[in-house]
Structures are given as C-alpha cells and as structure tokens.
Amino acid sequence: TVFNSLNRDMTLAEFKFIWYMEYSHRMWGRAVGLAYILPAAYFWHRGWLSRPLKGRVLALCGLVCFQGLLGWYMVKSGLEEKPDSYDIPRVSQYRLAAHLGSALVLYSASLWTGLSLLLPRHTLPETHQLLRLKRYAHGTTALIFLTALSGAFVAGLDAGLVYNSFPKMGERWIPDDLLAFSPVLRNIFENPTTVQFDHRILGIASVTAVTALYLFSRKIPLPRRTRMAVTSLLVVAFMQ
C-alpha cells in the first residue's frame, strides 16, 4: 500500500537504503536494551545496588522496554490501511511524539542517575535567590521538553514543508489558515500550519528562557560545575 501510494518509482537501491536505516535503528535500540538489562542483572546479583538504586534501575529497565514497545506501536500506525483517508501513508504524529518523549525521559533519567553516582552533590544554603533559580530551571526544562515534543508533531505531519521563510510565514506574521480546522483544539495537533507556528513560538520562547536563566544565574554565587552547566546550556540552545 505504501509503495503504491507514495513510492511507486522507488528503485531497489533506494529501498535498501531506507530498509537498512530502519533495521539499524531497531538493532541499536535492542543493543541499548541489553546495555541496560545485562549489567543491571549482574550488579543486582553481586549485591552492588542499594535499595533506592534498585528501584531506579528497575524503572530505567522498564522504560527501555516500554520505549521499544512504543516504537513498534508507532511504526504500526504507518502500515495500517486508511480507506477513508487520501493522505499519504505516515506514522501517527501522536505516537511519534510519545516515542520521542519517552526517549527524552529515558535519556534524562539515565544521565541524572549516572551523574548523581559519579559526582558528589553540592550542599548550598537555601537562599531565596537559589530557590527562585531552581524553580526557573525546572520551568525552563518543561518548556524545552514541550518544544521537543512539538517538533515530533512537525515531523509527523511534514509541517516543515508548509512554510520555509522566517521570521514570517510566507508574507504574513500569522497565517490565514492557522485555525482552519474545527474544533479549534484540533488545529494544535493536526493542522500542519498551526503545528509549525507553535513550534516556532515554543523554540523562540525556549531560547529566551535559557538566556534569562543564564543572566539570572550570573547574579548568584554558584559552584564552578553548576556555572559550566548553565553556560553550556546557553551555547547549545543558540546552536540549536
């Protein structure tokens, strides 16, 4: 069905390229799963894990398995027959966002766990400014996560092909078809124009929030490691 609807003129070499890309992704995912589960089982058997760490390791291994299941569920949506739709075959943008979101949570939790074991935690006085910085950092993290998820909707709907000019979208700041779908809420998740518009706004908001976080952190005495992390975040945000 996908071949007849979308890739009728594809050559065997082009098909092999796509097939090997997908195959490599699956094999890499399985290797990641083994890299979690096998050492975890060995460390558990040797008694090297504390009680709190056992719970975290179980959660990480479970999340790895869930990530693989989500990947299968996502790909499945692109192979289903849709007799009532004339759109080209593609995976569900909702499942794509869930797959990406799960991967981000898994990566972040793994990094947090590794750093908490390798680096001693700094004990700083709980000043009003430091508490504000923590709250703002958590809010910025949530905004970046939301921006990344919105990117999955852009990819799932091929929304990046709708407008290729910046900062305007075509000749307008706000496109005419921004709220073309009914009900209005449906535009946020299914209208390619709205999805691209939201991603732009969220991206600009994320860079602005990271910049503000950096400037605010300069006013507070922080450990060298923390200051390096905030500066690196600013650099990566502007590179992105």
Side-chain angles (χ1 to χ4, degrees), residues 174-187:
I174 301 178
D176 293 331
D177 55 341
L178 191 67
L179 300 176
F181 291 12
S182 182
V184 175
L185 187 62
R186 187 176 158 221
N187 289 278

Side-chain angles (χ1 to χ4, degrees), residues 43 45 56 64 98 109 121 129-130 157 185 204 219 221 223 234:
F43 296 153
H45 177 71
R56 193 177 297 189
V64 168
R121 185 171 182 173
Q129 278 190 317
L130 187 62
L157 291 171
L185 187 62
I204 294 169
K219 302 176 182 179
L234 180 71

Side-chain angles (χ1 to χ4, degrees), residues 129-147:
Q129 278 190 317
L130 187 62
L131 291 175
R132 280 184 59 197
L133 181 66
K134 282 185 177 180
R135 286 195 295 267
Y136 193 78
H138 291 157
T140 303
T141 301
L143 180 60
I144 293 171
F145 182 75
L146 184 62
T147 303

Side-chain angles (χ1 to χ4, degrees), residues 16-88:
K16 284 183 177 181
F17 175 77
I18 292 179
W19 189 90
Y20 278 117
M21 287 284 288
E22 174 65 19
Y23 180 77
S24 300
H25 181 68
R26 294 185 181 207
M27 292 301 105
W28 185 257
R30 290 167 184 170
V32 169
L34 291 176
Y36 269 86
I37 295 171
L38 293 181
Y42 177 75
F43 296 153
W44 193 301
H45 177 71
R46 299 285 293 182
W48 293 348
L49 302 178
S50 64
R51 186 177 181 85
L53 193 55
K54 283 182 178 180
R56 193 177 297 189
V57 165
L58 281 177
L60 287 173
C61 290
L63 195 54
V64 168
C65 297
F66 179 68
Q67 174 70 5
L69 183 64
L70 264 181
W72 166 81
Y73 186 59
M74 178 193 72
V75 171
K76 181 175 178 290
S77 67
L79 303 176
E80 294 170 347
E81 295 277 0
K82 300 182 179 70
D84 58 335
S85 173
Y86 296 97
D87 196 8
I88 62 173

Side-chain angles (χ1 to χ4, degrees), residues 74-134:
M74 178 193 72
V75 171
K76 181 175 178 290
S77 67
L79 303 176
E80 294 170 347
E81 295 277 0
K82 300 182 179 70
D84 58 335
S85 173
Y86 296 97
D87 196 8
I88 62 173
R90 55 161 60 95
V91 299
S92 164
Q93 68 271 27
Y94 298 101
R95 301 185 191 183
L96 178 59
H99 190 50
L100 175 63
S102 175
L104 289 174
V105 170
L106 173 62
Y107 179 80
S108 301
S110 302
L111 183 62
W112 184 272
T113 301
L115 290 176
S116 65
L117 293 173
L118 291 172
L119 301 174
R121 185 171 182 173
H122 286 298
T123 53
L124 300 174
E126 295 287 336
T127 63
H128 178 67
Q129 278 190 317
L130 187 62
L131 291 175
R132 280 184 59 197
L133 181 66
K134 282 185 177 180

